[in-house]
Amino acid sequence: MNQVSILNELETNQEIKACCAAVYESDWARLLLGNSFHPGGLALTERLGLLAGLGPDHRVLDVAAGTGASALYLAERFGCQMVGIDFGQESIAAANASAAEAGLANRVQFQLGDAERLPFEDGAFDAVTNECAFCTFPDKRTAAAEMARVLRPGGRLGLSDLTRPGPLPTELDGLLAWIACIADAQPLEQTTGYLEMAGLAIEQTEAHDEALRRTVADIRGKLLGAELLVKLKKIDLPGADFDQAKAIARSAAQAVREGKLGYALLVAQRSTS
Ligand SMILES: C[S@@+](CC[C@H](N)C(=O)[O-])C[C@H]1O[C@@H](n2cnc3c(N)ncnc32)[C@H](O)[C@@H]1O
């Protein structure tokens, strides 16, 4: 690859991240997903925390924390200290406001950051969590290496994400599908491969396809409701392309039904040496 195409690729990657962050900061995301932007909601976040062995003396990094619901939940449930990073400035502001509102600002802080360039020292965290976002990182190898780097020896990564065992229908291949974590969903072995390459040992994987099926069904219902509200002029969603969004949601529901799209949770450990 020559220098110009490397630069073009870097620019495109930054645009993808910025676009993804903007979508998850939009009224659309709040309307369709609420506060917790991943299948399984906070119940699956709790499962991730249990399997990753989070505890009161732990300092934990949530990579791609969104508006902070998971980090706040983990801090309350496991008593740990949380730092969240996200690419979206507005998400970070909303997350810090929620931490203050919950009286947790002394134990939970959020800051702007890129998963592919984490602004922390080597070994700074006892655990790292990453929910429903690995699929959206353009450079997965670097993101995996970064999450491993900031873990202390023996520290654990808890990750959940969309998976796909084989090829996806072409209508699930555009930018919107990328941002919805679908277009670049990897086979589970590919994700574990990135993590192993980064020096992490996979301890456990679990399939949670049913959680994804419920989320997609829920989004389809809410899309119909939102379209009706826009038609009735009860709400305003500028630039909303309901036909495209409904087509992606319909196709995603079919892919989940046919086993072409799933959701998985995994825990991996950095070696103790
Ligand atoms: C599907 S949401 C998941 C948010 C949160 N983890 C949750 O489960 O509620 C994906 C998030 O990834 C963030 N994101 C995308 N690319 C990123 C990057 N390179 N670095 C940090 N955050 C990123 C987006 O801004 C968005 O908040």
Side-chain angles (χ1 to χ4, degrees), residues 3-22:
Q3 212 174 355
V4 173
S5 49
I6 290 173
L7 279 177
N8 283 344
E9 188 178 311
L10 284 177
E11 264 175 38
T12 310
N13 286 353
Q14 292 308 100
E15 279 164 20
I16 288 175
K17 293 177 210 169
C19 193
C20 178

Side-chain angles (χ1 to χ4, degrees), residues 112-137:
L112 206 56
D114 184 346
E116 295 170 9
R117 212 175 309 163
L118 292 174
F120 305 105
E121 304 274 305
D122 296 2
F125 294 95
D126 299 294
V128 172
T129 53
N130 179 231
E131 297 176 294
C132 200
F134 196 70
C135 281
T136 70
F137 303 153

Side-chain angles (χ1 to χ4, degrees), residues 17 20-22 24 35-38 62-67 70 85-88 91 113-116 130-133 136-138 179 181:
K17 293 177 210 169
C20 178
Y24 284 102
N35 279 335
S36 190
F37 296 166
H38 61 267
D62 188 23
V63 174
T67 49
S70 291
I85 68 125
D86 198 276
F87 206 75
S91 287
D114 184 346
E116 295 170 9
N130 179 231
E131 297 176 294
C132 200
T136 70
F137 303 153
I179 287 163
C181 297

Side-chain angles (χ1 to χ4, degrees), residues 13 25 28 47 57 120 143 165 176 207 243 252 254-255 259 266:
N13 286 353
E25 286 171 338
W28 266 90
R47 176 96 189 127
D57 51 347
F120 305 105
L176 196 56
D243 288 338
Q254 188 176 348
L266 67 86

